[in-house]
Amino acid sequence: MAALGLTWSCGCTRPVAPLIKPRGPRMSLSRFHGAAGSAAKDYYEVLVLGGGTGGVTMSARMKRKVGAPNVAVVEPQEHHYYQPLWTLVGAGAKPLAPSSRPTASVIPSGVQWIQSSVQKLDPNQNCVYLENNQKISYKYLIVALGLQLYFEKIKGLPEGFNSPKIGSNYSFHTVEKTWKALQGFQEGNAIFTFPNTPVKCAGAPQKIMYLSEAYFRKTGKRPKANIIFNTSLGVIFGVKKYADALLKIIQSRNITVNYKRSLIEVRADRQEAVFENLDKAGETEVFQYEMLHVTPPMGPPAVLLNSLLADAAGWLDVDKETLQHTKYPNVFGIGDCTNLPTSKTAAAIAAQSGVLDKTISSIMKGKTPSKKYDGYTSCPLVTNYNRAILAEFDYKAQPLETFPFDQSKERWTSFHMKANMMPSLYWYGLLKGYWGGPAPIRKLLHLGLK
């Protein structure tokens, strides 16, 4: 990112569907959006599945590579979301509206937008099937389907969101409920959860906790608030340098952390949250709450599960360095839907996009890919309304920082990048296919040293 927005805050690769609001009637036929006068085709040189961060970014890059008429994006949702903003929306620091734009406005001009859902993947025949059994064939396939939120795997949800004391920053339709619950808090337990599944942006569940604690202090409610973080993990953060910094903040702010606790039920009528103790099979604990922030279980998109492209866990099976599929050489993946062993963030997608661009270019030329993805990812850990820790790291969970100073310290500059610079860089840099991560700037600032 320019010297001012070097890392991308957490996000995912595609929009999320409504969770509470009823969906409109389903389309009887797929809808096609493209350049004026263009007609939908049943074959594309490059077919992109998913119109989230990874999908739009790669469609922009592929347009420059093979020409817009030869690229299509399959995406059912009408809107594209900049989800990293929701951390601040849930804390009342930003409005929700700027996080959403029409999908049509972010698909590169001339690239065909096929507004439909993928129903079946058939890599042996180089095709996919959409709604109404519509078949689209391809020469190269880029899978950027994101991941799926599973609120329904927690008993009592999503209907529990009708309660004014429950919210979640993980959905466009529940993030403002977090802010309402925060404003309505009087006294008691404010509980924040982390599920027993992979998640997008592993830092987000605790970012809202720090912001809520700061809000309670600003409004004089902190003496009557018990801040509790119940996480299914055994550590506060997966990179020791940043975990140590966060634990100091937790201690100084008198926050309670319970490890290996997974939310399994919400009893909204009684303001009770039930957690499973992962260290003791079958043992549960009931917590009373005045405010509850839920991070839902997450998993691979249903169409990937049990498909020929998935690994045993249902994630897209790609080479962790080239992002090429491990079995099908003309299939590639990016973002949250992949089994890449790194944190699922928009920062990761930025770095992946540059590598994948090079990988596909090599394959198209009949060469062996040489550019390698090192697992770079980033998470601006917001700790206050004007402070953040800028975590950057690689596959080995080792810091891979852009700036030549200690990014584990809370800084106003890190917060400013997260809140005010990254959104514009997202819409006009990453989605346009011009930003492939901060590696060149890191190299410059560190005088060529990693």
Side-chain angles (χ1 to χ4, degrees):
M1 302 184 179
L4 299 174
L6 292 170
T7 57
W8 285 102
S9 41
C10 307
C12 76
T13 57
R14 67 177 310 279
V16 288
L19 295 168
I20 295 177
K21 295 183 179 180
R23 301 182 71 171
R26 295 191 65 82
M27 299 172 289
S28 58
L29 291 173
S30 301
R31 293 164 62 187
F32 297 87
H33 310 256
S38 67
K41 302 184 294 184
D42 58 8
Y43 170 84
Y44 292 90
E45 185 171 354
V46 179
L47 182 63
V48 181
L49 305 183
T53 308
V56 172
T57 297
M58 291 311 301
S59 66
R61 288 176 176 270
M62 294 301 102
K63 171 186 173 180
R64 292 196 289 271
K65 201 173 297 294
V66 301
N70 300 309
V71 181
V73 179
V74 180
E75 170 55 52
Q77 300 298 326
E78 292 277 358
H79 291 90
H80 179 104
Y81 301 113
Y82 177 59
Q83 298 181 43
L85 197 66
W86 295 347
T87 286
L88 301 176
V89 173
K94 290 285 185 179
L96 179 60
S99 72
S100 174
R101 293 189 180 183
T103 298
S105 72
V106 299
I107 300 293
S109 62
V111 168
Q112 194 77 49
W113 171 27
I114 304 174
Q115 191 176 1
S116 185
S117 296
V118 182
Q119 302 297 310
K120 181 183 177 183
L121 303 163
D122 189 354
N124 288 325
Q125 299 299 320
N126 295 321
C127 68
V128 303
Y129 291 89
L130 310 181
E131 293 170 330
N132 300 298
N133 208 36
Q134 180 187 0
K135 178 181 176 182
I136 303 288
S137 297
Y138 58 81
K139 185 174 183 180
Y140 303 102
L141 179 70
I142 300 175
V143 183
L145 289 168
L147 51 64
Q148 185 72 39
L149 305 182
Y150 290 106
F151 281 104
E152 66 275 12
K153 289 190 176 182
I154 299 171
K155 186 177 180 181
L157 294 181
E159 60 272 19
F161 285 113
N162 292 319
S163 163
K165 298 182 182 296
I166 306 175
S168 176
N169 289 357
Y170 275 86
S171 167
F172 184 84
H173 300 287
T174 58
V175 60
E176 289 184 311
K177 294 178 181 294
T178 302
W179 175 227
K180 290 179 181 178
L182 188 54
Q183 289 176 296
F185 183 93
Q186 296 301 319
E187 62 177 304
N189 292 335
I191 301 176
F192 304 83
T193 74
F194 191 109
N196 190 27
T197 67
V199 300
K200 51 186 173 186
C201 191
Q206 57 184 297
K207 294 179 194 180
I208 185 59
M209 174 183 70
Y210 300 126
L211 286 166
S212 297
E213 193 275 340
Y215 177 79
F216 293 149
R217 279 190 280 115
K218 287 169 60 177
T219 55
K221 297 177 181 179
R222 185 63 181 93
K224 295 184 178 181
N226 300 316
I227 314 295
I228 301 172
F229 186 52
N230 281 356
T231 172
S232 65
L233 302 179
V235 295
I236 195 67
F237 198 74
V239 180
K240 187 178 186 303
K241 177 178 181 177
Y242 306 119
D244 290 345
L246 293 170
L247 288 172
K248 289 179 181 178
I249 293 172
I250 286 168
Q251 183 177 16
S252 69
R253 299 188 192 177
N254 194 28
I255 294 172
T256 299
V257 178
N258 297 312
Y259 297 105
K260 309 298 281 187
R261 300 296 191 276
S262 178
L263 180 65
I264 60 173
E265 181 180 357
V266 174
R267 302 166 182 167
D269 56 335
R270 287 181 274 178
Q271 292 177 221
E272 292 178 347
V274 183
F275 292 83
E276 177 185 6
N277 185 337
L278 299 178
D279 282 335
K280 298 179 180 179
E283 181 178 304
T284 60
E285 299 172 82
V286 179
F287 287 75
Q288 198 77 27
Y289 65 82
E290 171 68 6
M291 172 188 173
L292 178 65
H293 178 269
V294 178
T295 300
M298 303 178 203
V303 71
L304 266 183
L305 287 169
N306 302 315
S307 76
L308 294 174
L309 296 179
D311 66 7
W315 302 100
L316 186 74
D317 196 8
V318 296
D319 182 280
K320 75 173 192 175
E321 293 183 332
T322 66
L323 282 70
Q324 184 179 26
H325 195 270
T326 56
K327 181 179 178 181
Y328 298 95
N330 64 331
V331 176
F332 311 87
I334 188 171
D336 297 355
C337 68
T338 67
N339 61 356
L340 296 170
T342 193
S343 186
K344 299 178 183 294
T345 70
I349 292 171
Q352 291 164 20
S353 69
V355 174
L356 184 53
D357 193 338
K358 298 290 187 183
T359 292
I360 294 176
S361 290
S362 295
I363 297 299
M364 287 180 171
K365 296 174 183 177
K367 298 179 180 179
T368 301
S370 57
K371 182 76 171 177
K372 295 182 178 181
Y373 174 53
D374 58 8
Y376 172 83
T377 189
S378 173
C379 185
L381 292 155
V382 178
T383 56
N384 209 320
Y385 281 85
N386 59 357
R387 292 290 185 275
I389 289 172
L390 195 53
E392 295 180 281
F393 48 98
D394 60 15
Y395 275 139
K396 298 177 182 179
Q398 295 300 309
L400 191 57
E401 297 181 346
T402 297
F403 296 104
F405 52 73
D406 186 0
Q407 293 179 195
S408 69
K409 294 184 180 298
E410 294 179 274
R411 298 179 188 273
W412 173 84
T413 50
S414 298
F415 177 85
H416 181 54
M417 282 192 290
K418 155 75 177 176
N420 303 315
M421 295 181 176
M422 292 179 185
S424 293
L425 215 42
Y426 176 86
W427 296 114
Y428 304 112
L430 181 57
L431 292 191
K432 303 297 184 183
Y434 295 125
W435 175 247
I441 299 172
R442 183 189 311 118
K443 186 175 181 179
L444 177 65
L445 294 179
H446 290 266
L447 303 178
L449 301 174
K450 185 176 181 180

